[in-house]
Amino acid sequence: MSPDAPTLKNFIAGQWVAPVDGKHFENANPADTRDVIGHFPLSGQADVDAAVASAKRGFEIWRRTPAPARGDVLRRAGDILVARKDELADVMTREMGKPLAETRGDVQEGIDTAYYAATEGRRLFGHTVPSELRNKWAMSFRRPIGVAGIITPFNFPLAIPTWKLFPALVCGNACVFKPAEDVPMTGHMFVEILLEAGLPPEVINLVHGKGEAGAAIVAHPDVALVSFTGSTDTGSKVGEACGRSHKRLSLEMGGKNAMIVLDDADLDLALEGALWGAFGTTGQRCTATSRLIVQEGVHDTFVSMLEARARTLVLGDGRAKGTDVGPLINPRALDKVERYITIGTGEGATLRMGGKRPGGKSLEHGHFFQPTIFTGVKALSRLEQEEIFGPVLSVVKVKDADEAFRVNNDVRYGLSSSVYTRDVNISFRALSELDNGITYINAPTIGAEAHLPFGGVKQTGNGHREGGWEVYEFYSETKVGYIDFSGKLQRAQIDNY
Ligand code: UN1
């Protein structure tokens, strides 16, 4: 324990409380691990049980609160996020590492999601349709479901919790929220903001911790739905547990996203996109550009341009001026990236640049890794197939657009893809043929906007989407009502035919 760092609490049943068995974990700055941010509850079953019991009580209040009034709370949360944007960004960069411009964007995504969700409280549309019988009405409407278990990753410490909590709340559910153990301070502040905005306390319950707490939420019989963003392996376990108890589940998992650069592309534009897509957030986005598929006519030129620019990227503390690329999140992430350098070289790919932890005194206390480019990467090699979640870009050379599309599709993931071309026909072919939830034309694989559905096909997800209008379907249940005002028994399908 670092004596100067604060000890934070869970928020359960309207109180800030210590974990039942008194255990904590340390949260440190990934750019300099001597900077300890705080000690957070290492929660277990008893804490989760208390949180779920509280959420059940909260649900009874919240489900009866009119949806527009629920939306008002979210609008106020959005206003507070606006007022505290810079302060939050600073906390987020300190505990997560990405540069301030990126954490400010992360907060903005939360603001956008808040205002969208706030107005959804005045929509939550159902349908009114004609009945096949006289003097009878038929309609559908949306009902809240119950207690939502919300488990979020480290890479978007605010945006992703808002993607889940805001729609869950506007639909009338109560929540048990477990933020990633690498970014608990952002989770703590977010809950403070929801309370300040007027959310009834038992509607939101915050449980810090690691896998044990997450597993307890997922398995709890009184948790009706679960939304999880994280690795495909953990997602499989969450899926198994939810399948056994027939819980509603939204999974958002891995990616191996490709940017395709064709011979007719604007190479200067593609260059900016590749740098941002591959090395933004130190490659720690589900949407990161981890494969660059380049047509042979421009391959050598483009790789040289890319290498020259990538070598100028400044690695450093995300809170320092001039930093382009921050640290990785923790030592496990660093080990994983290093493992893939060995795998890549072992498979015969050429390490064009990077591949190491940087030298030098200023970075020695952080989890830094050099921006890395491999060329001559073979389709179907492990380097080309597996999610690394770090600043490693694998370049694959192809003959034409057909081969590029094939290589793009030949992975188990399907989150985002991108094509740089000036050919309108190829652009539209890409939209229909690339097996991804999102395809960008002349923009990198990252940059999703809060008001459109976000998610992927194949093993990236399980068919649900975050964001936009679709997510409200996930967090509510359709109910149908028939009102017969004929005063007599009317048998559908029988009396009218
Ligand atoms: C993620 O990749 O983990 O599209 C989320 C983007 C962001 C969200 C990314 N708006 O890059």
Side-chain angles (χ1 to χ4, degrees):
M1 301 275 282
S2 305
D4 297 340
T7 297
L8 282 293
K9 293 182 169 170
N10 288 328
F11 186 76
I12 296 172
Q15 310 282 337
W16 293 97
V17 289
V20 169
D21 64 9
K23 290 195 210 142
H24 290 83
F25 63 92
E26 184 182 279
N27 174 32
N29 181 341
D32 183 344
T33 55
R34 295 168 302 179
D35 174 23
V36 176
I37 294 159
H39 302 100
F40 290 82
L42 189 60
S43 308
Q45 185 72 49
D47 305 294
V48 168
D49 286 348
V52 175
S54 159
K56 276 182 73 176
R57 292 189 297 272
F59 179 58
E60 293 307 319
I61 300 167
W62 195 235
R63 68 189 297 186
R64 293 179 174 82
T65 306
R70 299 194 296 246
D72 288 343
V73 172
L74 301 188
R75 196 193 60 249
R76 286 196 293 275
D79 294 345
I80 300 168
L81 290 173
V82 169
R84 295 177 67 181
K85 183 171 177 176
D86 288 331
E87 177 206 344
L88 275 159
D90 190 70
V91 170
M92 287 158 68
T93 294
R94 183 176 169 213
E95 75 174 349
M96 186 274 167
K98 61 188 177 185
L100 285 173
E102 292 191 36
T103 43
R104 293 184 87 247
D106 195 320
V107 180
Q108 187 58 46
E109 198 157 339
I111 295 166
D112 298 340
T113 304
Y115 291 146
Y116 189 102
T119 61
E120 190 60 28
R122 291 185 183 273
R123 284 187 295 268
L124 290 179
F125 292 132
H127 295 278
T128 307
V129 297
S131 165
E132 65 188 46
L133 293 158
R134 287 167 201 270
N135 297 320
K136 186 179 174 191
W137 274 36
M139 63 183 74
S140 74
F141 59 100
R142 318 284 322 168
R143 290 181 88 214
I145 299 175
V147 176
I150 306 289
I151 304 175
T152 56
F154 74 86
N155 61 341
F156 280 79
L158 188 76
I160 293 182
T162 69
W163 286 3
K164 298 181 191 299
L165 282 163
F166 287 156
L169 291 170
V170 81
C171 288
N173 305 288
C175 298
V176 175
F177 167 38
K178 192 196 90 62
E181 64 262 30
D182 292 302
V183 291
M185 191 58 106
T186 309
H188 175 94
M189 291 175 75
F190 183 34
V191 169
E192 283 183 335
I193 288 168
L194 288 171
L195 295 170
E196 190 187 333
L199 193 65
E202 293 192 318
V203 177
I204 180 74
N205 296 270
L206 171 68
V207 179
H208 289 292
K210 303 192 179 180
E212 192 192 335
I217 293 172
V218 169
H220 201 292
D222 290 335
V223 170
L225 68 156
V226 172
S227 180
F228 168 83
T229 297
S231 72
T232 295
D233 287 347
T234 307
S236 301
K237 294 189 192 126
V238 173
E240 280 172 29
C242 288
R244 277 195 294 274
S245 48
H246 306 295
K247 288 190 170 105
R248 181 177 285 224
L249 169 67
S250 172
L251 292 171
E252 199 55 65
M253 302 173 289
K256 190 71 188 178
N257 316 294
M259 173 189 289
I260 297 171
V261 179
L262 296 176
D263 281 351
D264 71 334
D266 176 340
L267 292 189
D268 293 318
L269 185 68
L271 174 63
E272 298 306 323
L275 290 164
W276 174 228
F279 303 123
T281 327
T282 321
Q284 302 172 108
R285 293 194 186 213
C286 336
T287 53
T289 305
S290 58
R291 298 183 293 157
L292 182 66
I293 302 173
V294 191
Q295 197 171 357
E296 58 191 10
V298 293
H299 175 274
D300 294 356
T301 312
F302 190 64
V303 168
S304 305
M305 289 165 70
L306 184 65
E307 184 182 344
R309 275 291 299 283
R311 283 187 185 280
T312 69
L313 292 174
V314 178
L315 204 56
D317 182 338
R319 292 198 289 172
K321 263 211 165 46
T323 295
D324 296 307
V325 182
L328 286 161
I329 190 67
N330 58 35
R332 284 189 313 286
L334 199 52
D335 289 347
K336 182 175 182 193
V337 171
E338 281 189 323
R339 232 171 22 249
Y340 276 97
I341 305 303
T342 313
I343 290 168
T345 16
E347 287 176 330
T350 307
L351 182 61
R352 277 291 280 250
M353 60 169 281
K356 288 200 288 290
R357 303 179 189 209
K361 274 252 169 281
S362 65
L363 303 181
E364 68 182 344
H365 295 289
H367 311 303
F368 291 97
F369 199 84
Q370 294 172 336
T372 298
I373 299 176
F374 276 104
T375 53
V377 177
K378 295 272 171 297
L380 304 182
S381 64
R382 287 188 64 189
L383 190 59
E384 196 264 343
Q385 292 283 307
E386 297 176 14
E387 184 177 49
I388 302 172
F389 229 62
V392 180
L393 181 63
S394 297
V395 186
V396 183
K397 184 161 43 170
V398 292
K399 269 199 317 295
D400 53 22
D402 287 336
E403 187 183 351
F405 288 9
R406 233 180 8 253
V407 171
N408 175 79
N409 287 349
D410 227 348
V411 290
R412 68 176 176 135
Y413 300 112
L415 185 49
S416 62
S417 54
S418 136
V419 183
Y420 281 79
T421 179
R422 291 181 168 104
D423 184 329
V424 67
N425 294 351
I426 299 245
S427 305
F428 275 86
R429 260 191 61 206
L431 292 181
S432 48
E433 290 177 26
L434 296 179
D435 295 334
N436 303 94
I438 308 170
T439 292
Y440 294 90
I441 304 296
N442 294 326
T445 58
I446 68 182
E449 300 178 26
H451 59 299
L452 280 99
F454 178 93
V457 302
K458 299 197 277 190
Q459 288 184 34
T460 290
N462 66 340
H464 292 291
R465 291 291 180 269
E466 314 237 40
W469 51 93
E470 285 201 11
V471 71
Y472 298 90
E473 308 261 314
F474 173 75
Y475 287 105
S476 60
E477 194 90 68
T478 297
K479 174 141 190 194
V480 166
Y482 294 105
I483 303 102
D484 189 321
F485 52 98
S486 69
K488 58 179 191 239
L489 172 68
Q490 300 195 85
R491 296 177 301 176
Q493 297 97 32
I494 296 173
D495 293 335
N496 47 337
Y497 287 101

